[in-house]
């Protein structure tokens, strides 16, 4: 059945109203004689935009291409569901959980999470601009590109970030804790990511110096690196000091915040960029060790 047919089949009949009621109050869907798709109850293409649901448990449902945009989901527990291609833009999840689910190519633009648990979620290809999570526990998740997303007071473990990070913020300051544990960042395509007050435990970045990372206190590290580079009066030394000054004084960057940049930012934008990138990486590493001691 084509995607348009999956959506259009819900335009008539009373079944839609009954499904919406049960999704809202947590009643079982099993006796509605819904079709089954790949072993899951078939709600593909289902229109549930603006759904208001509380304390529901929803298991084994296929929500592919469904619309849950602007939904308010409080203490709702999803497990074993598929949301591939679904529209979850501006949905709000609080206090509930999503486990063993797929959200491949789903839309989560401006989606908000608070005090939730997301475990074993495949978000490959999802659209997550302005995605925001607060005090949420992620485990076993695969994240795509994250333009201007924010994770505040979150624990993220056994997960991977496979796409570009564009002004993505990982914040721990003003929260009880924020941890990245056994997390891999596999893409060196980063622009102004921010790590502020986040604990790093077994975090890996792309090999070599493809991505230059200062996990915390970047301003202090940058100032020390500028001092260390003062022995070089050539263009490379001058370019590094200018670059560090601009980066460390970027509006909104807190004194405690970490910082990262892709190596290609230096190699592409400066004459002698390869030498500059090597010098930046080694000088920042030395400065970080001195600040830490």
């Amino acid at each position: 059945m084509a995607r348009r047919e999956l959506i259009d089949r819900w335009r008539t009949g009373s079944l839609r109203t009954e499904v919406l009621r049960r999704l809202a109050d947590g009643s079982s869907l099993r006796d509605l004689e819904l079709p089954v798709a790949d072993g899951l109850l078939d709600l593909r293409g289902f229109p549930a935009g603006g759904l208001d649901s509380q304390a529901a448990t929803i298991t084994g449902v296929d929500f592919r291409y469904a619309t849950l945009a602007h939904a308010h989901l409080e203490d709702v527990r999803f497990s074993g569901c598929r949301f591939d291609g679904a529209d979850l833009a501006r949905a709000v999840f609080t206090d509930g959980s999503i486990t063993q689910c797929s959200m491949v190519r789903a839309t989560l633009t401006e989606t908000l999470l608070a005090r939730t648990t997301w475990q074993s979620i495949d978000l490959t290809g999802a659209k997550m601009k302005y995605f925001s999570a607060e005090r949420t526990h992620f485990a076993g998740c695969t994240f795509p590109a994250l333009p201007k997303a924010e994770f505040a007071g979150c624990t993220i473990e056994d997960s991977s970030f496979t796409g570009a990070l564009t002004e993505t913020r990982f914040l721990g300051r003003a929260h009880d804790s924020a941890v990245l544990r056994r997390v891999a960042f596999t893409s060196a395509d980063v622009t102004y990511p921010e790590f502020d007050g986040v604990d790093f435990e077994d975090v890996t970045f792309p090999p070599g110096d493809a991505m230059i990372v200062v996990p915390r206190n970047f301003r202090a590290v940058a100032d020390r690196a500028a001092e260390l580079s003062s022995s070089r009066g050539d263009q490379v030394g001058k370019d590094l000091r200018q670059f560090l000054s601009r980066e460390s004084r970027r509006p909104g960057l807190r004194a405690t915040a970490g910082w990262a940049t892709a190596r290609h930012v230096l190699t592409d934008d400066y004459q002698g960029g390869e030498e500059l990138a090597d010098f930046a990486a080694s000088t920042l590493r030395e400065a970080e060790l001195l600040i830490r001691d």
Side-chain angles (χ1 to χ4, degrees), residues 1-277:
M1 192 180 297
R3 179 173 179 171
R4 175 48 57 188
E5 293 177 300
L6 293 172
I7 295 171
D8 287 345
R9 62 182 173 150
W10 299 105
R11 296 186 184 279
T12 59
S14 60
L15 183 58
R16 173 188 173 186
T17 300
E18 183 61 18
V19 170
L20 281 172
R21 184 188 70 78
R22 296 193 183 199
L23 289 175
D25 65 18
S27 300
S28 175
L29 300 170
R30 298 291 170 180
D31 62 339
L32 290 180
E33 298 184 356
L34 291 167
V36 174
D38 299 329
L40 305 177
L41 290 181
D42 185 4
L43 290 185
R44 291 176 296 170
F46 188 78
L51 174 69
D52 191 344
S53 181
Q54 296 183 4
T57 297
I58 301 172
T59 303
V61 176
D62 192 337
F63 287 105
R64 278 180 288 176
Y65 314 121
T67 298
L68 289 95
H70 300 272
H72 286 77
L73 306 167
E74 182 179 352
D75 195 24
V76 176
R77 296 167 297 281
F78 293 95
S79 64
C81 296
R82 294 184 68 176
F83 296 90
D84 298 352
D87 184 0
L88 296 151
R90 298 187 179 180
V92 178
F93 295 80
T94 57
D95 295 312
S97 63
I98 298 185
T99 59
Q100 300 288 335
C101 292
S102 173
M103 292 186 170
V104 174
R105 294 185 297 278
T107 298
L108 293 112
T109 305
E110 297 185 51
T111 299
L112 174 63
L113 278 56
R115 304 177 304 278
T116 64
T117 296
W118 283 36
Q119 184 171 359
S120 300
I121 310 299
D122 185 358
L123 291 152
T124 301
K127 299 175 182 177
M128 298 183 70
K129 189 172 185 178
Y130 294 114
F131 177 87
S132 178
E134 180 177 347
R135 290 177 286 170
T136 289
H137 182 197
F138 296 92
C141 296
T142 302
F143 294 94
L146 294 168
K148 299 187 177 182
E150 180 172 299
F151 299 84
C154 295
T155 295
I156 305 173
E157 55 188 359
D158 300 311
S159 297
S160 59
F161 291 83
T162 63
L165 303 180
T166 305
E167 298 183 41
T168 305
R169 306 172 74 199
F170 299 86
L171 307 178
R173 200 164 64 88
H175 294 274
D176 293 338
S177 66
V179 180
L180 297 176
R181 180 182 298 118
R182 298 182 300 277
V183 168
F185 293 89
T186 62
S187 172
D189 188 1
V190 296
T191 305
Y192 301 137
E194 182 175 342
F195 303 94
D196 186 357
V198 178
D199 291 332
F200 281 51
E201 300 179 14
D202 193 15
V203 176
T204 59
F205 294 96
D209 291 327
M211 184 173 174
I212 303 171
V213 182
V214 178
R216 55 186 62 85
N217 302 321
F218 172 65
R219 282 186 175 176
V221 173
D223 288 344
R224 181 60 63 90
E227 294 174 5
L228 293 172
S229 72
S230 62
S231 60
R232 290 194 62 161
D234 62 358
Q235 191 61 46
V236 168
K238 292 177 182 178
D239 284 344
L240 177 59
R241 289 187 288 276
Q242 183 183 52
F243 175 75
L244 292 175
S245 176
R246 184 180 71 246
E247 292 292 297
S248 64
R249 285 158 180 76
R250 184 164 53 86
L253 184 69
R254 300 172 178 85
T256 56
W259 166 93
T261 191
R263 178 184 175 92
H264 71 75
V265 171
L266 295 169
T267 60
D268 294 350
D269 294 350
Y270 292 87
Q271 187 175 3
E274 290 292 345
E275 184 179 2
L276 174 60

Side-chain angles (χ1 to χ4, degrees), residues 272-292:
E274 290 292 345
E275 184 179 2
L276 174 60
D278 289 339
F279 186 47
S282 61
T283 305
L284 285 166
R285 278 197 296 268
E286 183 180 356
E288 187 179 356
L289 289 173
L290 291 171
I291 291 294
R292 190 181 303 166

